[in-house]
């Protein structure tokens, strides 16, 4: 036996050695190939590789109609196209690229943000699942579908930390926390890129928007960002670093200026941090027109200067502003941009084209049969439903949920009224950044349809729309109230239309839109038991509903299978397990609000303690729903906290154990959250920081021991010299069901 082990160890070392050399030589081969192509290219062709145009089929930004793109592709002036999708379209353009002198294949990029054909929950909703495997799987399926349609590259994941729900793009990221955000960034990159570029089901990922786009002042999209470098590194760059470490093939820079320097022309971000300190080997694409927009920023005089600044700062590809194609060759000839800058950018781009295998076969993603197979893959819908269920957050429940599928034995048949503008909604379930496919209306499952499939023969569903999503008409109220009076139970649907959160969708008022909350009040006045479903891309404000209605499920924008997933939760086939990845404010005046704030010199410790305190006189110090919050149909008990050591050196670890028991009647999952507080630091530390979590499934009555490890990494932060260090001193350890619902506490010390 021993010998077998020895031989297998020998074999393993040999195998690893061969694998190491093979991968080195493969890398070398790609670099050599890149150089041999580069060597043959004219300056103009090189600049062409750095130029990306929007296709004319669809647009996700302001379109520039300027002539014949196809002839520019033919003459080697275009390296990549965005918004060209489908095997037929991509093949047509790739065939034209093959007529160019160098025959360099085009890259096709598209915003595959939460699914391509099968639409998954919006990224913020998925983040509420705290289920990294599920999140990775959703990206994997999106990649499988999109790559089968000829796409090579998704402009995702968006890993911007977002702490201002007025900002429309909160829907696109993982919320407010750098730790959760980093793990999700990694899961999404891995999901998109699968087993690696070179496989025909891999999509290149693009971590965006580099950087700090989510901190736009006032939550107004595209707005300026001003922040300390410490905060930048600790909070906003953390998920980007995780994405780079996970091997993201590309990065996208951002529209905003950071401390006065537009990100697109920001050398510190792109050259010093990303390509320097982080050793990123992929390429950076600008955001749509952001090279040229440096003129409006007042940072450069014209497109000529814009190209100069962006290229030198490390933006490798110009999306849609035409600054590079019009000026870069001239800038090189005039000696303002060094040839090495262009060569380096083109090398990065060509390397990815080689890695994708496009030089071997430019049409390897253009397989009609594969496209057809993936177009209607039922397994993808099944997985979508699973992930959608996990994304739902139970905000309130007085016991009315879950609903019984049949009425109680011997009792009368019952009526359930489904009321509100989302009851029969279809495309509003998909949310922003999703595509309209011709047969969507039959594919997308509405709440109404989902519920119909669940109910027994003795239950009838009644319907009234009541009002529109965002207007002032009360015309439907009377009917809604009449329907409610005939019902035994009311499911109210409310929320935001599909295009109310997303790019350029910042809003100063994030209350439930239109007259929806008035409708809820009017129907509630019938005295019938009521459950409210809120469908949205961002945290909304609905205080009256939250304070009065017995049960609320936050259902976000859940994607194609939304109605089935919601019905699964309503009828108890799935016990909700989502936890909020972002704080929900009480009013817009409380924004920005996030859990890992500093204590200040005058902390308020309760709502009765607000004078001379860091608090508003007219508002609670607490959010409406805090980060990490979410209920279950069952209950969990936290007990038996033990730390293996109370004092450690920074080379040592603490083994933290505790017991989690399902004390309720249903099987359920709990997200056990571990927070730390560094009591005294050379820079002030937050009141608590999420440092670990586990999602645990338990049967009723079942208990499990849970283990966490505390090591130096978890105790470290950026000091004022931007060094990542752990300082000796005392730490509080808190374990709980949310950032406020702390169930177990202890402390330990880091010693020299
Ligand atoms: C602008 C958006 O900011 C970016 O996220 C997106 O990828 C591009 N447009 C391309 O659609």
């Amino acid at each position: 036996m021993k010998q077998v082990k020895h031989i297998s160890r020998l074999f393993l070392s040999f195998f690893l050695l061969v694998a190491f050399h093979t991968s080195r030589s493969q890398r070398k081969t790609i670099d050599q190939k890149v150089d041999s192509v580069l060597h043959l290219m004219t300056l103009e062709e090189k600049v062409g590789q750095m130029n990306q145009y929007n296709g004319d089929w669809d647009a996700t930004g302001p379109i520039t109609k300027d002539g014949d793109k196809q002839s520019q592709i033919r003459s080697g002036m275009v390296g990549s196209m965005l918004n060209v999708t489908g095997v037929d379209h991509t093949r047509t353009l790739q065939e034209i690229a093959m007529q160019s002198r160098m025959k360099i294949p085009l890259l096709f990029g598209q915003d595959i943000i939460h699914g391509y054909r099968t639409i998954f929950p919006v990224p913020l909703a998925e983040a509420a699942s705290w289920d990294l495997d599920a999140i990775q799987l959703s990206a994997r399926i999106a990649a499988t579908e999109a790559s089968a349609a000829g796409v090579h590259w998704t402009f995702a994941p968006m890993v911007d930390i977002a702490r201002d729900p007025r900002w429309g793009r909160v829907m696109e990221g993982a919320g407010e926390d750098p730790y959760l955000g980093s793990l999700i960034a990694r899961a999404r990159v891995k999901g998109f890129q699968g087993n690696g570029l070179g496989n025909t089901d891999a999509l290149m990922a693009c971590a965006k928007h580099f950087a700090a786009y989510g901190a736009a002042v006032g939550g107004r999209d595209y707005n300026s960002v001003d922040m300390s470098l410490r905060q930048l590194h600790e909070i906003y760059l953390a998920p980007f670093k995780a994405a780079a470490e996970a091997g993201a093939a590309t990065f996208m820079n951002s529209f905003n200026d950071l401390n006065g320097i537009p990100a697109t022309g920001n050398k510190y971000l792109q050259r010093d941090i990303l390509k320097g300190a982080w050793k990123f080997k992929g390429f950076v694409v600008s955001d749509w027109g952001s090279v040229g927009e440096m003129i409006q920023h007042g940072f450069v005089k014209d497109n000529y200067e814009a190209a100069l600044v962006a290229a030198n700062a490390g933006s490798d590809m110009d999306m849609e502003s035409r600054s590079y194609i019009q000026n870069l060759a001239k800038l090189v000839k005039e000696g303002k941009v060094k040839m090495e800058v262009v060569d380096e950018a083109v090398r990065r781009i060509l390397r990815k084209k080689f890695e994708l295998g496009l030089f071997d076969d430019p049409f390897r993603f253009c397989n009609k049969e594969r496209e057809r197979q993936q177009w209607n893959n039922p397994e993808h819908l099944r997985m979508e439903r699973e992930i959608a269920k996990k994304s739902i957050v139970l905000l309130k429940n007085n016991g009315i949920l879950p609903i019984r599928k049949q009425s109680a034995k011997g009792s009368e048949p019952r009526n359930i009224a489904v009321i509100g503008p989302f009851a029969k909604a279809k495309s509003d379930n998909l949310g922003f950044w999703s595509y309209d496919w011709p047969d969507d209306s039959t594919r997308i499952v509405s709440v109404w349809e989902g519920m119909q499939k669940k109910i027994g023969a003795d239950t009838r569903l009644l319907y009234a729309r009541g009002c529109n999503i965002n207007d002032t008409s009360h015309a439907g109220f009377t009917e809604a109230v009449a329907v409610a009076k005939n019902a035994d139970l009311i499911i109210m649907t409310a929320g935001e239309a599909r295009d109310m959160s997303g790019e350029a969708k910042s809003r100063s008022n994030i209350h439930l839109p239109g007259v929806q909350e008035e409708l809820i009040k009017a129907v509630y006045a019938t005295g019938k038991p009521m459950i409210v479903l809120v469908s949205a891309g961002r945290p909304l404000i609905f205080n009256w509903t939250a304070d009065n209605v017995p049960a609320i499920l936050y259902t976000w924008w859940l994607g194609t299978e939304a109605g089935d997933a919601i019905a699964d939760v309503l009828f108890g086939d799935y016990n909700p397990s989502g936890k909020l990845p972002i704080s929900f404010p009480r009013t817009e005046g409380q924004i920005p609000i996030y859990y890992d704030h500093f204590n200040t010199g005058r902390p308020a410790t309760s709502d009765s303690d607000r004078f001379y305190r860091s608090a508003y006189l007219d508002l609670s110090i607490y959010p409406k729903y805090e980060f990490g919050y979410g209920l279950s149909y069952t209950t969990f008990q936290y007990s038996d906290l033990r730390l293996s050591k109370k004092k450690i050196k920074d080379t040592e670890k603490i083994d933290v154990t505790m017991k989690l028991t399902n004390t309720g009647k249903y099987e359920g999952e709990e997200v056990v959250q571990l927070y730390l507080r560094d009591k005294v630091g050379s820079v002030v530390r937050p009141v608590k920081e999420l440092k670990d979590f586990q999602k645990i499934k338990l049967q009723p009555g079942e208990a499990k021991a849970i283990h966490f490890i505390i090591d130096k990494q978890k105790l470290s932060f950026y000091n004022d010299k931007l060094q990542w260090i752990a300082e000796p001193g005392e730490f509080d350890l808190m374990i709980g069901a949310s950032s406020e619902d702390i169930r177990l506490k202890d402390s330990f010390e880091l010693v020299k």
Side-chain angles (χ1 to χ4, degrees):
M1 186 63 190
K2 229 181 186 173
Q3 210 182 0
V4 174
K5 256 194 193 158
H6 180 68
I7 292 172
S8 65
R9 221 177 294 138
L10 254 181
F11 180 74
L12 186 71
S13 331
F14 174 72
F15 175 77
L16 286 177
L17 204 73
V18 172
F20 174 71
H21 281 293
T22 320
S23 83
R24 261 191 70 180
S25 63
Q26 260 168 9
R27 257 209 318 274
K28 224 167 130 199
T29 323
I30 285 196
D31 285 347
Q32 281 170 345
K33 284 182 186 166
V34 166
D35 276 339
S36 60
V37 173
L38 193 71
H39 188 67
L40 299 172
M41 292 169 76
T42 64
L43 172 59
E44 286 68 22
E45 283 165 340
K46 290 178 184 174
V47 172
Q49 286 303 304
M50 298 168 71
N51 183 34
Q52 185 188 53
Y53 285 147
N54 181 60
D56 291 331
W57 285 284
D58 197 0
T60 46
I63 294 187
T64 313
K65 290 261 182 219
D66 58 354
D68 180 2
K69 286 174 187 158
Q70 302 200 353
S71 69
Q72 293 188 55
I73 296 172
R74 199 170 286 114
S75 48
M77 297 298 103
V78 186
S80 171
M81 299 291 292
L82 76 144
N83 293 328
V84 176
T85 192
V87 162
D88 290 339
H89 285 159
T90 52
R91 180 180 281 280
T92 303
L93 293 195
Q94 200 67 294
E95 275 167 358
I96 296 172
M98 288 305 107
Q99 294 160 24
S100 67
R101 191 183 77 88
M102 288 297 297
K103 300 193 179 355
I104 299 178
L106 287 167
L107 276 180
F108 295 106
Q110 201 177 351
D111 292 286
I112 314 293
I113 307 296
H114 52 110
Y116 176 75
R117 162 70 165 156
T118 308
I119 300 301
F120 286 86
V122 293
L124 187 64
E126 276 189 1
S129 73
W130 296 53
D131 187 328
L132 300 171
D133 292 339
I135 291 171
Q136 182 165 336
L137 182 62
S138 138
R140 183 84 293 276
I141 293 172
T144 309
E145 293 182 356
S147 61
V151 179
H152 309 131
W153 179 19
T154 174
F155 305 125
M158 186 191 100
V159 303
D160 294 306
I161 294 294
R163 300 180 154 193
D164 190 331
R166 292 170 301 181
W167 189 48
R169 299 192 82 167
V170 291
M171 56 135 305
E172 233 180 294
E176 74 183 43
D177 184 63
Y179 178 75
L180 180 61
S182 298
L183 294 182
I184 291 178
R186 189 166 73 193
R188 290 194 166 131
V189 168
K190 296 235 172 266
F192 286 131
Q193 298 190 168
N195 290 329
L197 307 188
N199 294 290
T200 46
D201 64 355
L203 271 191
M204 291 204 295
C206 181
K208 70 187 189 184
H209 305 84
F210 197 61
Y213 182 45
V217 172
R220 291 202 298 281
D221 212 356
Y222 316 122
N223 207 3
S224 301
V225 175
D226 203 310
M227 69 166 60
S228 75
L229 287 183
R230 233 191 50 70
Q231 188 180 16
L232 176 73
H233 280 264
E234 194 159 301
I235 309 291
Y236 287 85
L237 292 187
F240 284 101
K241 190 158 186 279
E245 284 166 1
T250 70
F251 265 51
M252 183 186 289
N253 58 36
S254 55
F255 289 124
N256 57 286
D257 74 87
L258 174 64
N259 303 334
I261 315 283
T264 307
N266 200 312
K267 184 176 159 300
Y268 175 67
L269 285 174
Q270 297 171 107
R271 289 220 185 270
D272 300 352
I273 298 177
L274 179 61
K275 295 177 177 177
W278 296 354
K279 300 187 171 48
F280 171 70
K281 294 283 176 283
F283 69 87
V284 180
V285 64
S286 80
D287 203 342
W288 182 300
S290 69
V291 178
E293 285 178 16
M294 288 195 293
I295 304 170
Q296 285 79 12
H297 274 286
F299 193 63
V300 296
K301 198 168 73 224
D302 50 25
N303 252 322
Y304 175 82
E305 263 189 23
L308 167 73
V309 168
N312 281 337
S315 294
D316 302 309
M317 186 181 277
D318 172 4
M319 181 192 288
E320 269 291 314
S321 82
R322 286 142 179 82
S323 304
Y324 284 7
I325 198 67
Q326 289 167 8
N327 301 290
L328 208 45
K330 190 159 174 255
L331 282 159
V332 173
K333 285 177 192 152
E334 289 171 356
K336 299 208 169 121
V337 172
K338 291 204 179 94
M339 193 63 175
E340 296 88 84
V341 168
V342 169
D343 280 350
E344 191 235 15
V346 177
R347 261 196 200 98
R348 286 172 181 271
I349 295 163
L350 292 182
R351 200 181 289 137
K352 291 302 160 206
K353 294 188 176 183
F354 271 108
E355 286 176 16
L356 285 165
L358 292 175
F359 276 97
D360 294 332
D361 176 6
F363 303 103
R364 63 198 301 256
F365 292 82
C366 297
N367 179 333
K368 273 298 253 185
E369 180 49 26
R370 195 158 73 92
E371 183 180 49
R372 199 193 51 74
Q373 272 171 11
Q374 296 305 337
W375 188 248
N376 270 321
N377 187 331
E379 184 60 9
H380 294 178
L381 286 176
R382 203 178 64 72
M383 297 322 297
E384 201 291 293
R385 181 169 176 172
E386 288 303 303
I387 297 171
K389 289 190 291 202
K390 293 179 179 196
S391 305
I392 295 172
V393 183
L394 177 63
L395 295 180
K396 191 175 178 188
N397 187 15
N398 72 347
I400 186 174
L401 278 166
I403 313 169
R404 280 175 290 106
K405 285 184 192 148
Q406 313 273 340
S407 55
K409 254 209 176 107
S411 69
E412 291 294 299
R414 53 174 190 169
N415 294 328
I416 301 180
V418 193
I419 300 178
F422 293 86
K424 293 192 172 176
K426 293 264 183 172
S427 64
D428 282 319
N429 292 331
L430 301 186
F432 205 79
W433 290 120
S434 49
Y435 297 92
D436 276 306
W437 304 115
D439 59 347
D440 271 357
S441 58
T442 52
R443 247 169 86 91
I444 305 166
V445 184
S446 66
V447 171
W448 176 262
E449 289 163 344
M451 290 185 65
Q452 262 182 336
K453 290 184 216 164
K454 291 275 178 197
I455 50 172
D458 62 348
T459 301
R460 266 189 310 158
L461 292 186
L462 313 176
Y463 167 73
R465 182 172 172 87
C467 66
N468 289 327
I469 296 173
N470 196 18
D471 68 22
T472 52
S473 169
H474 297 78
F477 277 37
T478 317
E479 187 205 0
V481 169
V483 166
K485 283 186 178 153
N486 283 328
D488 308 293
L489 173 68
I490 294 155
I491 310 288
M492 283 300 297
T493 66
E496 285 186 312
R498 174 188 191 176
D499 61 353
M500 291 180 82
S501 286
E503 187 183 348
K505 306 293 177 213
S506 293
R507 288 165 61 207
S508 68
N509 174 351
I510 57 166
H511 282 67
L512 266 180
V515 294
Q516 294 185 72
E517 198 156 39
E518 286 179 53
L519 178 68
I520 295 173
K521 284 183 197 173
V523 174
Y524 180 82
T526 60
K528 297 296 170 75
M530 178 185 279
I531 298 159
V532 174
L533 309 175
V534 185
S535 169
R538 52 149 69 90
L540 290 178
I541 298 170
F542 41 90
N543 292 325
W544 186 91
T545 304
D547 295 343
N548 292 281
V549 162
I552 304 170
L553 286 165
Y554 213 75
T555 58
W556 314 97
W557 287 327
L558 287 179
T560 315
E561 287 281 316
D564 281 335
I566 291 170
D568 285 338
V569 168
L570 283 174
F571 290 96
D573 289 334
Y574 182 75
N575 182 354
S577 63
K579 301 270 187 178
L580 298 177
I582 185 167
S583 309
F584 276 43
R586 288 165 188 271
T587 80
E588 292 86 356
Q590 222 179 14
I591 299 169
I593 185 160
Y594 47 89
Y595 82 94
D596 59 341
H597 57 83
F598 293 157
N599 205 35
T600 81
R602 293 190 173 186
T605 51
S606 73
D607 275 344
S608 51
D609 174 34
R610 282 187 283 203
F611 293 95
Y612 301 111
R613 294 292 179 206
S614 168
Y616 295 113
L617 279 184
D618 57 349
L619 201 56
S620 165
I621 61 169
Y622 303 105
K624 191 72 187 170
Y625 299 109
E626 73 273 13
F627 175 83
Y629 174 80
L631 304 173
S632 165
Y633 295 156
T634 191
T635 47
F636 296 98
Q637 190 189 56
Y638 290 61
S639 66
D640 299 357
L641 176 62
R642 258 182 229 108
L643 274 60
S644 62
K645 290 181 188 140
K646 297 282 275 182
K647 273 190 185 166
I648 51 163
K649 294 190 182 145
D650 69 5
T651 49
E652 295 175 321
K653 293 178 180 170
I654 302 177
D655 187 8
V656 177
T657 55
M658 57 149 284
K659 191 164 114 190
L660 183 75
T661 311
N662 181 344
T663 45
K665 292 198 296 273
Y666 300 89
E667 170 193 287
E669 289 158 279
E670 173 70 324
V671 180
V672 178
Q673 302 160 44
L674 183 146
Y675 296 88
L676 292 181
R677 176 173 185 180
D678 186 346
K679 296 293 284 291
V680 178
S682 61
V683 292
V684 173
R685 304 304 305 144
V687 292
K688 54 175 81 89
E689 293 173 273
L690 181 73
K691 291 292 177 180
D692 212 339
F693 65 86
Q694 285 182 40
K695 190 162 186 171
I696 307 287
K697 188 193 246 180
L698 293 177
Q699 300 303 318
E702 196 190 357
K704 243 183 210 162
I706 314 241
H707 292 265
F708 295 105
I709 298 287
I710 305 286
D711 59 7
K712 184 181 176 192
Q713 175 69 10
K714 290 202 167 79
L715 308 180
S716 299
F717 63 94
Y718 284 102
N719 68 8
D720 64 345
K721 295 183 188 65
L722 296 184
Q723 295 157 327
W724 179 249
I725 54 155
E727 292 178 344
E730 207 185 321
F731 289 80
D732 284 340
L733 180 142
M734 295 154 270
I735 297 183
S738 83
S739 58
E740 273 171 24
D741 185 5
I742 300 299
R743 309 281 183 87
L744 299 168
K745 280 186 187 173
D746 206 335
S747 62
F748 60 90
E749 203 184 333
L750 178 67
V751 293
K752 276 200 182 128

